[in-house]
Amino acid sequence: MTAGRSHETRRYALYGWLLLTPAVALMSLFAFIPAGATAWASLFSRGTNRRPAHFAGLDNYTQLFADPTFAKVVTNNLLYAGVTIPVSTAIALGMALWANARIPARGFVRAAYFTPTMLPMIAAANLWLFFYTPGIGVIDKIAGLFGFGPTNWLGQPDTALWAIIVVTIWKESGFFMIFYLAALQTIPPDLHEAARIEGAGRWTYTRRVLLPLLMPTTLFILVNALINSVKLIDHLFILTKGGPDNASKLILYWIWEMAFSYFDAPHAAAMTVLVLIVLGIVAAIQFRVIDRRAHYR
Amino acid sequence: MTDTPFVQLQGISKHWGASLGVDNLDLSVPRGAFVVLLGPSGCGKSTTLRLIAGLEEADSGRILIDGRDATYASPAERSLSMVFQSYALFPHLSVAENIVFGLKVRKIARDDRDARLKRALALTGLEGYEDRKPGELSGGQRQRVALARAVVADHPLCLMDEPLSNLDAKLRHSVRQEIRALQRRLAMTVIYVTHDQTEAMTMADMVVLMKNGRIEQSGSPAALYKRPATSFAANFVGSPPMSLLPGTAVAAVTGHFPDPEAVTIGLRAESVRLAGTHDAIVHGSVRQSEFLGAETFVVLEMPGEGTLTARLAGEVDLSPGSSVGLAWDWADVHLFDRESGNRLPGLSDPAAWNKSAPSGEVASTAPGSCAAEQE
């Protein structure tokens, strides 16, 4: 009896593993093994022909923390995330509420909002390069109408990062809007009518009913925006290459440079591990905190 | 109860593009009455309710609530509550928060709010469910929460839009009685929309039967049942609906009949009885019989065209296809104009007609035709 049962259990376990195998194989090949290898590589010194790599413990990490460029890049990325995440989420929500209302040419408005998302980031960055061009770019042309002189938006340390931030917000808001729009469509119009009868104005309805019901979507968007604030660096290659003087350099760009321009794989690996750890912690906090306040149907 | 109506619609129209919503509607709802707007889907009953609620704005006409012109007032200014078909509960709020939502919006003091919440919970039997979310409740309990939210503010007017249509048949029966009891106890004026004539007949003080954006007939349930103003009303009210036969079908078997081409004959199931060969007015063949315990409804095919339903006491064993003789009192027969569907004067003395009137002359010129009264 028990033998038969354990046989049965083992058979089910076998089925389970067989079903998991394709996913496990692919995930291992492209995610788990590279991640493990990166973590492992970050513990070794940089190998050259004369001095092969040797185990260095946490040396790479201590060196990173002492490096002013690393500090600068981390500060940049924090500012970048701190501005792009809330601003693009807020704009996305605003646009979704607007595009969900009964307005003329609703389809056109939605499509227009979504267009930046359909463009490849490289193409969008090239577009913005023309906007930002000192003197002849659209932005300076418009500024000129009001009597302002030309500004090298991408070329000076004070404005370069902010110029990048604007491009990112422009690119991301339309994408996030689609999620909000989809979520808004699932909220029955009855709720608004019931709220109106109960005496709630537009703002009360938005605050007490709409925003809480959109919370799961907001959580999803915040996590995505967080990931993008680290992941999305395509436009840096076109617009500033991280300059001037590292003013617009973000961490992933710095990792890329470290690994493929300076061929310092161990330091790049160490930074990658740090990024993974930080992202993991932040995502966990986001889920914990917002999950309690989100209502899932 | 005063003489002035509590809710009054004067010449209200609402059109959706080319399609019809509500057309030049006049309606008076007495204070404290339970008024049911009844009709098939698309007849404008829900639109009427939404116009009263202020969720839609009328194209023309006036709406008076408690003597004040509310035509352009916002829903919140009309001091009314509403129960939606979907209940429209806020899914992220608990039962208690749902119920006091409006009180909070209106900034009612906390003590008062708690007292009202307690009372509403007691009235609807929801004590102990305060902290549940709507998603954790059964359909019947959700319906109660919607009711509690409607009564908590003590608004004198409550609108209900098919509130029972999402409940199963058994629950519907008991909730019907509960809503009616609640309405009496709180002396609320209720305007209730349904397409279910049973709900209308069992709950209403006044039934307003609607069709194509107009009022077909309004009156007490008994009045609608006993004297349907049109063949549509006759067919819509009552279960089973009144059997309607072309005048020709009866004329063919009776020989004499006033203008059989121009009339439709209506017979309630309880007016039809089985009869022996001598008494029988017509013979019909049994199509099916439905045994309901105390009674059996027999559907019969008439010799000409149409069917007739007869309500027979107890269990009656009639096999399909068998021929039975049927009779009725001519005073129970309803007559309708075939073209307009409007009610014609009844056949109080058909014998007189049979003697004096050669067929084909009488009914079309019958004096005191109801047709004029209907508009």
Side-chain angles (χ1 to χ4, degrees), chain A residues 190-191 193-200 204 208-209 212-213 295, chain B residues 50 54 76 80 82 84 86 88-92 102 105-106 149:
Chain A
D190 284 4
L191 294 186
E193 292 178 349
R196 275 174 72 195
I197 288 195
E198 297 293 330
T204 313
R208 298 273 323 270
V209 180
L213 289 179
H295 169 80
Chain B
R50 293 171 60 82
L80 47 79
M82 185 159 174
F84 290 81
S86 64
L89 301 178
F90 304 116
H92 59 296
V105 169
R106 294 193 168 93
R149 189 170 67 183

Side-chain angles (χ1 to χ4, degrees), chain B residues 107-125:
Chain B
K107 304 214 162 35
I108 306 276
R110 199 196 174 93
D111 295 349
D112 192 12
R113 217 163 63 202
D114 289 346
R116 283 162 182 251
L117 171 65
K118 228 174 180 177
R119 183 163 153 268
L121 288 169
L123 276 171
T124 48

Side-chain angles (χ1 to χ4, degrees), chain B residues 200-239:
Chain B
M201 298 301 274
T202 51
M203 296 173 86
D205 294 318
M206 179 172 117
V207 178
V208 178
L209 180 65
M210 294 184 68
K211 182 192 174 190
N212 296 336
R214 287 164 178 275
I215 294 179
E216 187 84 357
Q217 184 178 7
S218 67
S220 70
L224 258 74
Y225 189 84
K226 287 179 186 156
R227 279 184 66 84
T230 63
S231 53
F232 172 78
N235 197 244
F236 203 86
V237 171
S239 174

